């Protein structure tokens, strides 16, 4: 792997980056008294204040290879079993309300095909569609929807322990009184939350918490609005709210410690706290609503003032900073500020900007290819200081999630082909980047493999 150096600069490593060498403690006799020698304590590296001029610019040659590096670990998810169920809305006296019998009037051939597929769906128990995956405390939590008719009346949360291979149903929402399952299931500050909507003429959402061991559900708060997503903020839950009509979405924050709800300022932050070794960082610059300003990254270890004015993602470590840039004119780029070597590495990054997550000391992303039944997903593992991109196999479906500053994982799914799938229906995926990822597909999905990164 070669680095093409655009500007050669002599840069000596600062002595403050290295702790003082430990000196052995020895005792020397002085007469009849033994006096212990003084051991010099190691010192912490000094806080660094760096600018663009402190880094030598380096152009990287992107190298894509096939194979799984040693830092990526794959575990077979044995024993995952969600069972199968018939949603209550499929009952003969209820199904007309949720799946009309006649929708292709005037097209008898299409209507006949629809009738056959609809009847098969009404009579066939569904193996479940995994809507959300959450990692908490070394266990996986799956929100599984068993309503393949209208997605509203039959859902459960299952806990899976990779160590024991045991699957446990924690809580179930089954009945026509429900208007959706465990939406926005997420792990926030070590706790499990989800949203629940009620059938109402006016918007109303209840935020609930699940005990990850017992499955007990408690109501946290109720809001007279639609809450479309839950994310982690520095102090609690960040809620994306929408009152309906022509109104715009807005953000509220629920502070877990004080139990207060406050407005959330999205101009000074990028929706969620960017963490470095578990400590929130301060990011300034970017687009302020009127103009672009240079980005400055401030952590407990360093402040780096860059010349970059916009970004798609920022990822922080003690020894480096990665900034992904989506430039509609100049293309996609990944900039890596290598603090130890004082180099700013620039790599062409087309096709890898979307869905990036921090994966141990590196980055990961999932790329989808193909159409409908011929589609597949590919996992990529990216080592930014080396310019190395590892392409790790093909899977029928991949879902990735960022479970915090140091924890990320990818789940692969295999499709249950024996389940009925309405013709022409397709699937899509989306990431919220904070402990959970949700996706929609018309087919049943069974968790298959777990990829983890680092130690």
């Amino acid at each position: 792997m070669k680095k093409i150096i655009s500007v050669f600069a002599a840069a000596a490593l600062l002595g403050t980056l290295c702790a003082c060498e430990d000196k052995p403690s020895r005792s020397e006799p002085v007469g009849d008294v033994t006096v212990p020698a003084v051991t010099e304590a190691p010192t912490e590296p000094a806080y660094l204040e760096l600018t663009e001029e402190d880094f030598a610019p380096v152009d990287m040659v992107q190298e894509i290879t096939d194979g799984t590096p040693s830092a990526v670990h794959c575990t077979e998810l044995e024993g995952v079993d969600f069972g199968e169920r018939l949603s209550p809305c499929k009952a003969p006296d209820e199904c007309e309300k949720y799946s009309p019998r006649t929708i292709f009037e005037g097209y008898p051939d299409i209507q006949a095909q629809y009738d056959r597929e609809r009847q098969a769906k009404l009579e066939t128990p569904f193996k479940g569609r995994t809507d959300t995956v959450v990692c908490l405390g070394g266990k996986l939590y799956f929100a599984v929807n068993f309503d393949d008719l209208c997605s509203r009346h039959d859902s459960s949360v299952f806990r899976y322990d990779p160590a024991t291979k045991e699957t446990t149903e924690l809580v179930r929402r089954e009945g026509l009184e429900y208007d959706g399952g465990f939406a926005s299931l997420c792990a926030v500050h070590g706790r499990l939350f989800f949203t629940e909507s009620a059938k109402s003429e006016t918007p109303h959402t209840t935020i609930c918490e699940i005990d990850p061991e017992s499955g007990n559900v408690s109501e946290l708060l109720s809001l007279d609005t639609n809450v479309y997503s839950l994310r982690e903020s520095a102090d609690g839950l960040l809620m994306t709210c929408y009152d309906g009509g022509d109104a715009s979405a807005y953000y509220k924050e629920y502070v877990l410690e004080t139990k207060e709800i406050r407005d959330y300022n999205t101009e000074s932050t990028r929706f969620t706290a960017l963490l470095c070794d578990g400590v929130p960082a301060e990011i300034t610059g970017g687009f302020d609503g009127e103009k672009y300003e240079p980005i400055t990254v401030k952590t407990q270890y360093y402040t780096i003032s860059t010349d970059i004015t916009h970004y798609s993602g920022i990822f922080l470590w003690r020894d480096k900073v990665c900034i992904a840039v989506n430039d509609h004119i100049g293309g996609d780029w990944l900039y890596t500020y290598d603090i130890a070597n004082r180099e700013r590495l620039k790599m062409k990054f087309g096709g890898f900007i979307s869905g990036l997550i921090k994966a141990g000391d590196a980055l990961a992303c999932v790329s989808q290819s193909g159409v409908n039944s011929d589609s597949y997903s590919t996992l990529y593992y990216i080592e930014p200081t080396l310019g190395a991109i590892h392409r790790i196999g093909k899977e029928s479906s991949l879902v990735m999630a960022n479970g915090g500053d140091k924890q990320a994982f990818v789940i692969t799914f295999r499709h249950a082909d024996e389940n009925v799938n309405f013709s022409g229906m397709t699937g899509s995926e989306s990431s919220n980047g904070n402990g959970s990822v949700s996706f929609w597909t018309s087919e049943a999905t069974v968790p298959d493999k777990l990829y983890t990164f680092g130690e």
Side-chain angles (χ1 to χ4, degrees):
M1 193 166 306
K2 299 179 181 179
K3 295 181 179 179
I4 301 175
I5 310 298
S6 59
V7 177
F8 291 93
L13 293 178
L14 294 181
T16 53
L17 282 179
C18 301
C20 295
E21 181 180 353
D22 290 345
K23 296 182 179 180
S25 177
R26 297 190 301 269
S27 296
E28 300 177 357
V30 180
D32 294 331
V33 180
T34 299
V35 180
V38 176
T39 300
E40 186 176 343
T43 59
E44 287 292 325
Y47 189 86
L48 300 175
E49 295 190 11
L50 305 170
T51 66
E52 197 77 46
E53 288 70 29
D54 293 310
F55 296 88
V58 177
D59 290 336
M60 303 285 287
V61 175
Q62 182 189 97
E63 182 174 312
I64 301 178
T65 59
D66 291 312
T68 304
S70 59
V72 180
H73 314 286
C74 180
T75 303
E76 298 289 336
L77 296 181
E78 302 173 3
V80 181
D81 184 10
F82 301 142
E84 57 183 24
R85 306 208 292 254
L86 274 173
S87 175
C89 57
K90 292 184 178 182
D93 56 342
E94 299 288 350
C95 62
E96 285 285 342
K97 302 175 186 176
Y98 307 103
S99 176
R101 184 179 298 277
T102 302
I103 61 174
F104 295 108
E105 190 172 359
Y107 300 90
D109 292 341
I110 299 176
Q111 180 65 46
Q113 179 184 357
Y114 172 77
D115 289 342
R116 291 192 298 270
E117 294 181 347
R118 176 180 179 274
Q119 190 59 37
K121 184 178 285 287
L122 293 176
E123 297 174 353
T124 305
F126 189 49
K127 290 183 179 294
R129 182 187 73 237
T130 304
D131 283 336
T132 312
V133 186
V134 171
C135 183
L136 179 63
K139 298 179 177 64
L140 299 174
Y141 296 83
F142 297 92
V144 182
N145 196 320
F146 292 92
D147 184 353
D148 58 336
L149 191 68
C150 62
S151 297
R152 296 156 55 188
H153 303 112
D154 195 353
S155 297
S156 291
V157 173
F158 292 86
R159 180 183 65 220
Y160 175 75
D161 189 339
T164 63
K165 312 296 183 184
E166 293 181 345
T167 303
T168 304
E169 185 181 39
L170 277 183
V171 59
R172 179 184 295 196
R173 289 285 193 263
E174 183 180 22
L176 298 177
E177 68 273 20
Y178 293 108
D179 194 28
F182 297 89
S184 301
L185 181 70
C186 62
V188 171
H189 296 287
R191 298 160 63 178
L192 279 176
F193 300 96
F194 71 95
T195 64
E196 192 168 58
S197 300
K199 290 183 178 180
S200 174
E201 295 182 358
T202 58
H204 185 82
T205 305
T206 302
I207 312 297
C208 300
E209 180 175 1
I210 303 176
D211 185 298
E213 294 301 320
S214 67
N216 292 332
V217 176
S218 56
E219 293 187 3
L220 200 65
L221 69 154
S222 293
L223 298 171
D224 290 327
T225 185
N226 298 307
V227 177
Y228 284 136
S229 71
L230 298 178
R231 309 181 190 182
E232 185 175 69
S233 66
D235 298 320
L237 279 168
L238 176 61
M239 300 173 287
T240 304
C241 304
Y242 174 64
D243 294 335
D246 296 328
S248 300
Y250 59 95
Y251 302 91
K252 293 285 187 179
E253 183 183 28
Y254 179 75
V255 183
L256 292 175
E257 184 175 352
T258 63
K259 299 182 179 180
E260 66 174 315
I261 300 175
R262 62 192 184 193
D263 293 332
Y264 194 81
N265 182 8
T266 59
E267 294 182 359
S268 60
T269 59
R270 292 293 287 231
F271 303 106
T272 56
L274 287 173
L275 304 178
C276 180
D277 285 353
V279 179
E282 180 182 343
I283 310 295
T284 56
F287 187 64
D288 64 2
E290 297 181 357
K291 61 184 181 302
Y292 288 95
E293 295 288 345
I295 295 164
T296 296
V297 177
K298 184 177 182 180
T299 73
Q300 69 271 40
Y301 305 121
Y302 51 76
T303 296
I304 300 179
S305 300
T306 77
D307 288 344
I308 299 173
T309 58
H310 61 285
Y311 63 95
S312 299
I314 295 180
F315 308 91
L316 308 175
W317 295 264
R318 182 168 184 163
D319 61 348
K320 61 181 175 287
V321 171
C322 286
I323 302 179
V325 176
N326 177 232
D327 189 334
H328 297 293
I329 298 176
D332 297 337
W333 299 91
L334 181 68
Y335 294 88
T336 301
Y337 290 83
D338 186 338
I339 296 172
N341 294 316
R342 293 295 195 275
E343 294 177 334
R344 189 200 71 168
L345 313 175
K346 179 183 179 182
M347 182 170 65
K348 192 74 173 177
F349 212 53
F352 299 102
I353 288 288
S354 178
L356 275 176
I357 62 171
K358 187 177 175 182
D361 288 331
L363 298 170
C365 75
V366 169
S367 174
Q368 289 184 288
S369 304
V371 179
N372 295 340
S373 60
D374 294 327
S375 66
Y376 61 90
S377 299
T378 305
L379 170 64
Y380 291 90
Y381 181 76
I382 302 152
E383 298 178 283
T385 57
L386 301 177
I389 299 178
H390 304 272
R391 183 168 43 216
I392 305 173
K394 294 180 181 179
E395 303 287 350
S396 59
S397 180
L398 283 170
V399 173
M400 60 195 314
N402 185 358
D405 184 37
K406 295 183 178 180
Q407 180 188 71
F409 65 93
V410 171
I411 300 286
T412 76
F413 290 87
R414 62 181 184 273
H415 293 286
D417 296 330
E418 70 273 20
N419 281 271
V420 176
N421 176 26
F422 276 128
S423 301
M425 299 182 74
T426 59
S428 63
E429 298 186 4
S430 62
S431 170
N432 69 25
N434 286 275
S436 59
V437 169
S438 59
F439 71 99
W440 184 89
T441 176
S442 58
E443 297 178 350
T445 51
V446 180
D448 189 26
K449 301 173 186 175
L450 167 69
Y451 285 97
T452 54
F453 310 95
E455 297 295 329

